[in-house]
Amino acid sequence: MTAHSDGLSASEIAEAVRGRKLSALDVTEAALARIAKHDPLLNSFTDVTAERARAKARAIDAAVTAGQNAGPLAGVPFAVKNLFDVKGLSTRAGSKINRDLKPSPRDATLIERMEAAGAVLVGALNMGEYAYDFTGENAHDGPSRNPHDLMRMTGGSSGGSGGAVGGGLVPLALGSDTNGSIRVPSSFCGIFGLKPTYGRLSRARSFPFVYSFDHLGPFARSVTDLALSYDAMQGPDPEDAACTTRPAEPVMSLLAEDIGGLRIAVAGGYFQNNVFPEATEAVARVAKALGTTRTVEIPEAARARAAAYVITASEGASLHLDRLRRRPSDFDFAVRDRLLAGAMIPAPLVDRAQKFRRWYRAKVLELFKSVDVILAPATPCVAPKLGQTTFMLDGVEMLVRPNMGVHTQPISFIGLPVVAVPVPLQPMPIGVQIIAAPWREDIALRVAFALERAGVASAPPPRGI
């Protein structure tokens, strides 16, 4: 066996481990060595679970030696945003306050499912405090840094997840997306990310932000790896009341299916405003590769974003009200002030936002009677510089932290599945959203796979480390 696994995809690692060309322990040691070498620069990890990982890897190698099926993700290292419960660790959710919690007695459901498929957990990842962030800058753990330019943001709130995969430390990571927290880091770090349909993947034993918007999902450097991990995590879970009772609908075998019959359109109006030239260029390249010139209008998208803001702020504030009263000085002040503002939103405004949400969902679902896929920017621009607080958007100076989700919030607001695909522009990559109807992750992934195969979407090697 050889220990050389650097640069291999998750699917390549699993195949090599199952075929006894690589040992899971060697793969794990290589991942731990990469983390030790590069993470002091990237600041992606907050916890490295080295001994746990080695024990799991040895068990996989023993299973392979005994002729047992080691799983579709045999020996593949992965890491998770630190709002996932990891047995033996306190679930910090990017905060100072949560470090006082007792160690979790059990892993999150999605970690259990990944490990049941043979994956090896190597650690927990940096994130914006309580997931209320689009920058990847954490007041307590420091900023995660972009693997293509260490002076730039990873995006958030799953910043460590984006940096770890974009930097090649691990082939797979898990994150969460409430208003864009998978799609924004995917865009900034030049990797693939999947925000599944709301309720598709279990959130059991993860720290919430906005229960009615929260999604969990994977990051990867290829569509195949994204699909492998997604398939491993599917299935009903009674421990998450929002989790679907639909049976698992695997996508791996569908990726290479022809997309010629799909009806694909570009989101117009709102989604063609509030963008820098690089975002326009990325969408244009994707549309050209897919042979589409059609445009559709997503009705009232700006109002959808405003309503998402209202519900996010009020629900998030409700979750944290006791902590705000007891330990206000232990919050990141930027997060604290947003939560305090959310606590003062009048109830009738929240009620109106929820009523509008039902109307908007129905209107957008009508669009999917005539189209299968909608294309939109994932972020308005490439990754800003670390510490940058404002940027100019359509001639208006706006705050970076809340406004990087300008194109993602109207989509997660109604729980649609999205694959963020990286377009490797120079000097920095940027992402495009491939949006499908509810429960049609297969369609979004097929389109992403076709774009990857055509060379239009790809995860560039890290240039900053």
Side-chain angles (χ1 to χ4, degrees):
M1 291 188 187
T2 173
H4 184 65
S5 61
D6 288 4
L8 294 183
S9 68
S11 57
E12 290 168 338
I13 289 169
E15 185 178 356
V17 168
R18 289 192 302 266
R20 302 184 70 178
K21 294 176 182 175
L22 278 174
S23 76
L25 185 58
D26 285 344
V27 173
T28 298
E29 293 293 358
L32 294 172
R34 288 193 302 273
I35 294 164
K37 180 179 180 180
H38 296 301
D39 200 58
L41 292 174
L42 293 176
N43 197 32
S44 295
F45 281 80
T46 52
D47 306 88
V48 177
T49 54
E51 290 313 308
R52 168 184 170 146
R54 291 182 178 112
K56 173 69 174 176
R58 290 187 188 102
I60 291 165
D61 287 333
V64 170
T65 300
Q68 298 169 4
N69 181 2
L73 291 170
V76 175
F78 77 108
V80 299
K81 187 173 184 175
N82 69 30
L83 56 66
F84 286 75
D85 284 4
V86 175
K87 185 177 180 180
L89 297 181
S90 298
T91 305
R92 65 174 78 181
S95 71
K96 177 180 178 181
I97 296 170
N98 277 33
R99 289 162 216 231
D100 294 347
L101 295 176
K102 292 179 180 177
S104 299
R106 182 181 170 188
D107 291 331
T109 291
L110 295 192
I111 295 176
E112 291 180 346
R113 290 180 177 178
M114 288 285 285
E115 291 215 317
V120 177
L121 182 72
V122 296
L125 298 161
N126 201 354
M127 60 175 283
E129 183 178 79
Y130 290 127
Y132 209 172
D133 168 64
F134 282 134
T135 68
E137 296 177 322
N138 185 288
H140 316 294
D141 295 308
S144 47
R145 294 177 179 271
N146 195 298
H148 304 291
D149 180 345
L150 296 174
M151 300 310 295
R152 292 181 187 263
M153 299 172 180
T154 55
S157 61
S158 309
S161 305
V165 174
L169 305 189
V170 287
L172 293 172
L174 304 185
S176 68
D177 188 310
T178 301
N179 287 303
S181 290
I182 286 173
R183 291 160 289 161
V184 171
S186 295
S187 180
F188 286 177
C189 295
I191 57 176
F192 294 88
L194 170 63
K195 184 202 79 63
T197 307
Y198 179 80
R200 172 70 90 176
L201 297 183
S202 172
R203 304 169 302 180
R205 295 180 299 284
S206 65
F207 198 88
F209 173 28
V210 180
Y211 188 81
S212 58
F213 294 171
D214 290 345
H215 310 65
L216 303 181
F219 295 84
R221 297 185 61 83
S222 74
V223 179
T224 298
D225 287 0
L226 207 61
L228 262 179
S229 56
Y230 170 63
D231 281 357
M233 293 186 287
Q234 284 193 57
D237 184 2
E239 294 188 58
D240 176 5
C243 189
T244 183
T245 56
R246 295 167 71 103
E249 297 171 278
V251 297
M252 264 300 292
S253 63
L254 307 175
L255 290 182
E257 284 190 5
D258 182 63
I259 63 165
L262 294 179
R263 302 162 298 171
I264 301 172
V266 176
Y270 173 88
F271 292 91
Q272 294 181 2
N273 300 323
N274 306 303
V275 286
F276 284 58
E278 57 262 36
T280 303
E281 170 68 12
V283 173
R285 286 193 188 186
V286 167
K288 182 179 179 182
L290 296 172
T292 185
T293 56
R294 183 178 175 186
T295 300
V296 294
E297 200 79 30
I298 295 179
E300 297 283 9
R303 188 174 294 182
R305 183 171 182 244
Y309 254 123
V310 168
I311 296 168
T312 295
S314 61
E315 226 181 282
S318 175
L319 175 69
H320 291 288
L321 209 50
D322 287 344
R323 279 178 284 273
L324 287 165
R325 286 170 173 150
R326 288 186 288 108
R327 298 178 62 172
S329 61
D330 288 336
F331 280 85
D332 173 345
F333 74 89
V335 173
R336 180 195 64 204
D337 290 352
R338 294 175 81 188
L339 291 171
L340 287 171
M344 292 182 274
I345 294 175
L349 200 57
V350 180
D351 180 56
R352 285 178 65 186
Q354 292 285 14
K355 287 175 179 173
F356 169 78
R357 187 183 184 193
R358 288 191 289 275
W359 176 90
Y360 176 70
R361 177 179 169 81
K363 288 292 185 183
V364 175
L365 291 186
E366 280 182 26
L367 287 179
F368 284 106
K369 294 176 182 176
S370 60
V371 298
D372 300 300
V373 167
I374 300 173
L375 310 175
T379 52
C381 57
V382 298
K385 298 287 187 181
L386 285 169
Q388 183 178 332
T389 56
T390 64
F391 68 140
M392 297 298 293
L393 204 54
D394 275 4
V396 180
E397 187 175 27
M398 304 183 79
L399 292 170
V400 168
R401 185 184 281 249
N403 287 300
M404 279 302 157
V406 63
H407 301 299
T408 54
Q409 280 183 288
I411 309 305
S412 41
F413 181 54
I414 51 172
L416 301 178
V418 186
V419 176
V421 301
V423 179
L425 302 182
Q426 295 295 335
M428 295 292 291
I430 190 169
V432 172
Q433 296 185 86
I434 312 296
I435 306 162
W439 316 113
R440 296 314 307 263
E441 288 85 353
D442 60 314
I443 289 178
L445 286 160
R446 282 168 54 203
V447 171
F449 186 75
L451 290 165
E452 184 182 28
R453 204 160 47 176
V456 176
S458 64
R463 295 188 289 268
I465 57 174

